[in-house]
C-alpha cells in the first residue's frame, strides 16, 4: 500500500476542519501532519482529532516555512485577504496547494499565485467546490451530450438565506469589503465559476452588474431597538435576532454552524454563547454593524457565440444556498431546484427527471455543499498521490477538474 498523502492545514476554522475530515474517513489516503492557526482552541481541536504531534502545531503559518518540507501538500484556509502570501511562499517550498476560494482579492495576487505554482512545479487547486457536486456534474454531462441542443441562455440564482446573510455578511467575517472582499466574490465566485463551466469554455465578452446594500442599514433600525440583541426590548419582533439565530439553536442541542462560529475559545453551550453575544460581534444589532457589502446583486454576461447568462444573489430568502438554475437550449430546457434535474424535450414535449447518487461516507453530505467538499478533497488527494509517484509529470496536466 502506498503511504498516505501528508498535509499541513493552514487555518483551522470551518473550512480547514471540513477538508481535514477526509483524513478521518480515509486514513490510508490522507494524513494531517501539521496545523497552523493563531487561535489556541481551533488548532488544539484539530490537533486532537488527527493526533498531530506538538512540534508540528504552530500559532503562525510562517513557522511552517522555517522548517524543512515535511508534507506533500497544504490546505490554505485562511481569511480571504490572507491567501496570497502563504500560497506563494509555500509553493516555493514545494508544497502542492489546496486553496480556499476566493483565490485572492486582486487580479495581481491571483496572477502571482498562479505564476509561482507553475514556476515551482506544484499543483494548485482552488476550492470552487460546486464543480464537484454530483448534480452539477450531471448537468454538465447533459449539456455536453446535447440533451438540450445548443445552450442559448443560463439563469442562475443563489438564495443566500436571511439568517445566513445576517450571520456572515452583516455581523460576521465577510461583512466589510476592506477586511475581506465584496460579497459577490466572497459568496458567489462559486456561481460565476459554474456559469463559465456550463458555457463550455466560451470567453465572456460583455459584463454588466449592479447591486446594493438593502435593509441592513442604520436608518432601518426599529424604534426602541438596542445595540445588542440581549439588551433589546423589541428583539422578539426581529427575524434577525441573535437570540433566535444562536441561543435558540443551542437550547435545542444544535452546536454546528452557525453556532460553532460564535464561540472562538470553547465548545458552544448556553453559557459560552450567551457570553459571546454579550461581548462579541455576533450579538450586535444588524442595523448597527460596520457592514458595507451588497445584500442583493445581479450580473449579466454575454459569451462568445451569443450565449447570454444572468446571475442573481439575494440575501432575503427562506432557503440557504439552495441554488436554482434554468438552462435554455435550442432543443430543450433544463431546470435544477437543488434536489432534482428536469429536462424538457421540445421535439417529444416530454420531461425527464434525473437524480444522482449521494452516497458520501462520514458526514460530508449533511447539508451545505458537503458532497462537493468530499469529492473535491478526494480528487485533490488522488492528484497529489499521483504527482508524488511521478515527479516528472508535465506541468500542464490538469487535475483540477472533476
Amino acid at each position: 500500500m502506498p503511504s498516505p498523502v501528508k498535509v499541513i492545514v493552514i487555518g483551522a476554522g470551518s473550512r480547514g476542519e471540513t477538508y481535514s475530515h477526509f483524513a478521518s474517513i480515509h486514513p490510508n489516503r490522507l494524513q494531517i501532519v501539521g496545523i497552523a492557526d493563531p487561535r489556541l482552541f481551533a488548532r488544539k481541536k484539530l490537533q486532537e482529532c488527527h493526533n498531530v504531534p506538538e512540534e508540528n502545531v504552530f500559532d503562525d503559518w510562517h513557522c511552517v516555512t522555517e522548517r524543512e518540507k515535511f508534507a506533500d501538500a497544504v490546505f490554505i484556509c485562511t481569511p480571504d485577504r490572507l491567501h496570497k502570501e502563504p500560497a506563494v511562499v509555500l509553493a516555493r517550498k514545494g508544497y502542492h496547494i489546496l486553496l480556499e476560494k476566493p483565490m485572492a482579492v486582486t487580479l495581481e495576487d491571483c496572477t502571482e499565485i498562479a505564476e509561482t505554482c507553475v514556476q515551482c512545479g506544484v499543483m494548485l487547486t482552488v476550492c470552487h467546490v460546486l464543480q464537484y457536486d454530483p448534480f452539477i456534474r450531471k448537468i454538465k454531462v447533459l449539456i455536453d451530450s446535447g440533451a438540450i441542443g445548443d445552450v442559448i441562455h443560463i439563469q442562475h440564482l443563489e438564495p443566500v438565506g436571511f439568517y445566513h446573510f445576517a450571520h456572515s455578511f452583516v455581523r460576521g467575517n465577510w461583512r466589510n469589503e476592506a477586511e475581506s472582499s465584496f460579497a459577490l466574490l466572497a459568496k458567489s465566485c462559486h456561481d460565476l465559476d459554474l456559469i463559465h463551466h456550463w458555457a463550455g469554455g466560451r470567453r465572456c465578452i460583455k459584463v454588466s452588474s449592479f447591486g446594493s446594500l438593502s435593509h441592513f442599514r442604520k436608518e432601518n433600525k426599529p424604534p426602541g431597538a438596542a445595540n445588542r440583541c440581549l439588551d433589546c426590548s423589541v428583539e422578539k419582533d426581529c427575524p434577525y435576532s441573535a437570540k433566535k439565530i444562536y441561543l435558540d439553536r443551542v437550547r435545542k442541542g444544535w452546536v454546528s454552524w452557525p453556532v460553532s462560529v460564535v464561540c472562538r475559545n470553547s465548545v458552544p453551550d448556553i453559557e459560552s454563547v450567551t457570553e459571546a453575544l454579550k461581548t462579541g460581534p455576533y450579538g450586535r444589532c444588524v442595523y448597527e454593524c460596520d457592514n458595507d457589502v451588497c445584500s442583493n446583486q445581479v450580473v449579466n454576461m454575454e459569451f462568445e457565440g451569443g450565449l447570454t447568462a444572468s446571475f442573481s444573489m439575494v440575501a432575503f430568502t427562506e432557503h440557504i444556498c439552495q441554488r436554482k438554475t434554468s438552462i435554455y437550449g435550442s432543443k430543450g430546457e433544463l431546470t435544477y431546484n437543488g434536489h432534482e434535474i428536469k429536462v424538457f424535450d421540445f421535439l417529444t414535449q416530454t420531461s425527464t427527471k434525473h437524480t444522482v447518487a449521494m452516497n458520501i461516507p462520514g458526514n460530508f453530505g449533511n447539508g451545505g455543499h458537503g458532497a462537493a467538499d468530499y469529492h473535491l478533497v478526494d480528487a485533490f488527494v488522488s492528484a497529489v498521490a499521483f504527482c508524488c509517484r511521478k515527479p516528472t509529470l508535465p506541468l500542464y496536466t490538469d487535475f483540477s477538474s472533476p
Side-chain angles (χ1 to χ4, degrees):
M1 289 290 291
S3 59
V5 169
K6 294 178 171 58
V7 165
I8 304 166
V9 180
I10 310 296
S14 177
R15 302 312 295 156
E17 185 176 354
T18 294
Y19 298 143
S20 300
H21 184 53
F22 191 91
S24 300
I25 300 171
H26 300 293
N28 60 320
R29 296 183 58 203
L30 176 64
Q31 181 182 3
I32 305 302
V33 299
I35 301 164
D37 194 294
R39 301 164 300 173
L40 176 62
F41 179 76
R43 64 177 184 267
K44 285 293 185 183
K45 180 182 179 184
L46 205 59
Q47 178 186 12
E48 293 173 3
C49 182
H50 297 284
N51 298 312
V52 178
E54 188 65 34
E55 63 268 23
N56 290 351
V57 179
F58 313 97
D59 61 4
D60 188 329
W61 69 266
H62 291 88
C63 298
V64 175
T65 67
E66 297 168 1
R67 294 265 303 272
E68 290 295 321
K69 183 171 178 281
F70 64 98
D72 304 302
V74 292
F75 293 167
I76 298 179
C77 304
T78 50
D80 296 355
R81 290 186 174 272
L82 302 179
H83 285 181
K84 194 265 290 194
E85 187 184 0
V88 168
V89 174
L90 291 167
R92 288 175 180 157
K93 292 283 288 186
Y95 292 101
H96 298 294
I97 295 172
L98 182 73
L99 180 60
E100 177 57 17
K101 60 84 185 170
M103 183 175 177
V105 298
T106 68
L107 176 60
E108 293 75 17
D109 284 356
C110 290
T111 301
E112 185 175 353
I113 292 170
E115 289 180 347
T116 302
C117 289
V118 170
Q119 292 165 4
C120 296
V122 300
M123 184 174 60
L124 169 67
T125 298
V126 181
C127 297
H128 292 298
V129 300
L130 292 183
Q131 280 201 36
Y132 294 81
D133 183 280
F135 276 105
I136 300 303
R137 295 176 68 177
K138 182 66 174 180
I139 291 173
K140 179 64 171 169
V141 168
L142 289 168
I143 291 173
D144 291 347
S145 71
I148 59 171
D150 296 329
V151 177
I152 308 298
H153 180 70
I154 299 170
Q155 277 190 321
H156 186 63
L157 167 70
E158 181 176 16
V160 181
F162 72 101
Y163 76 81
H164 180 0
F165 192 89
H167 168 77
S168 296
F169 299 95
V170 179
R171 295 177 171 121
N173 295 336
W174 296 274
R175 69 190 183 278
N176 189 286
E177 186 172 337
E179 294 185 14
S180 58
S181 57
F182 54 96
L184 198 66
L185 179 63
K187 187 71 185 76
S188 301
C189 59
H190 284 313
D191 303 278
L192 298 175
D193 174 67
L194 280 187
I195 290 171
H196 184 265
H197 180 57
W198 289 327
R202 280 175 277 192
R203 189 170 64 93
C204 183
I205 56 177
K206 294 180 183 178
V207 177
S208 68
S209 182
F210 50 89
S212 63
L213 170 55
S214 303
H215 188 67
F216 298 111
R217 305 165 66 95
K218 295 185 188 302
E219 60 265 30
N220 291 323
K221 185 177 181 179
N227 290 343
R228 286 191 171 272
C229 296
L230 295 187
D231 304 323
C232 187
S233 61
V234 298
E235 168 271 327
K236 291 182 179 180
D237 297 321
C238 179
Y240 305 102
S241 159
K243 285 185 178 180
K244 294 183 177 71
I245 295 174
Y246 307 111
L247 278 177
D248 285 359
R249 282 180 166 79
V250 174
R251 292 189 180 101
K252 296 174 182 177
W254 184 277
V255 294
S256 57
W257 187 94
V259 175
S260 59
V261 179
V262 173
C263 302
R264 294 171 58 90
N265 301 309
S266 65
V267 176
D269 56 26
I270 291 293
E271 291 75 19
S272 61
V273 172
T274 299
E275 181 60 27
L277 298 186
K278 285 181 179 178
T279 59
Y282 294 99
R284 294 180 295 175
C285 174
V286 291
Y287 307 103
E288 285 289 350
C289 294
D290 58 339
N291 58 303
D292 62 6
V293 298
C294 288
S295 57
N296 49 289
Q297 188 163 353
V298 296
V299 183
N300 297 309
M301 293 156 275
E302 182 181 348
F303 292 83
E304 292 171 328
L307 166 63
T308 54
S310 179
F311 169 66
S312 298
M313 180 274 290
V314 62
F316 307 99
T317 63
E318 174 188 359
H319 296 292
I320 294 179
C321 304
Q322 188 174 307
R323 292 162 169 88
K324 297 179 181 179
T325 304
S326 295
I327 303 178
Y328 304 93
S330 58
K331 295 182 179 180
E333 175 182 341
L334 182 153
T335 57
Y336 172 56
N337 63 4
H339 301 292
E340 172 182 88
I341 301 166
K342 185 176 73 171
V343 174
F344 179 79
D345 186 290
F346 294 161
L347 179 63
T348 63
Q349 297 189 35
T350 58
S351 294
T352 303
K353 294 181 179 180
H354 299 267
T355 58
V356 299
M358 300 291 282
N359 299 322
I360 307 302
N363 61 2
F364 268 89
N366 291 348
H369 38 66
D373 290 334
Y374 176 86
H375 288 297
L376 167 70
V377 181
D378 182 36
F380 179 75
V381 169
S382 296
V384 172
F386 186 82
C387 286
C388 290
R389 294 192 196 102
K390 296 181 179 292
T392 58
L393 191 73
L395 296 181
Y396 57 79
T397 300
D398 181 10
F399 286 105
S400 62
S401 297

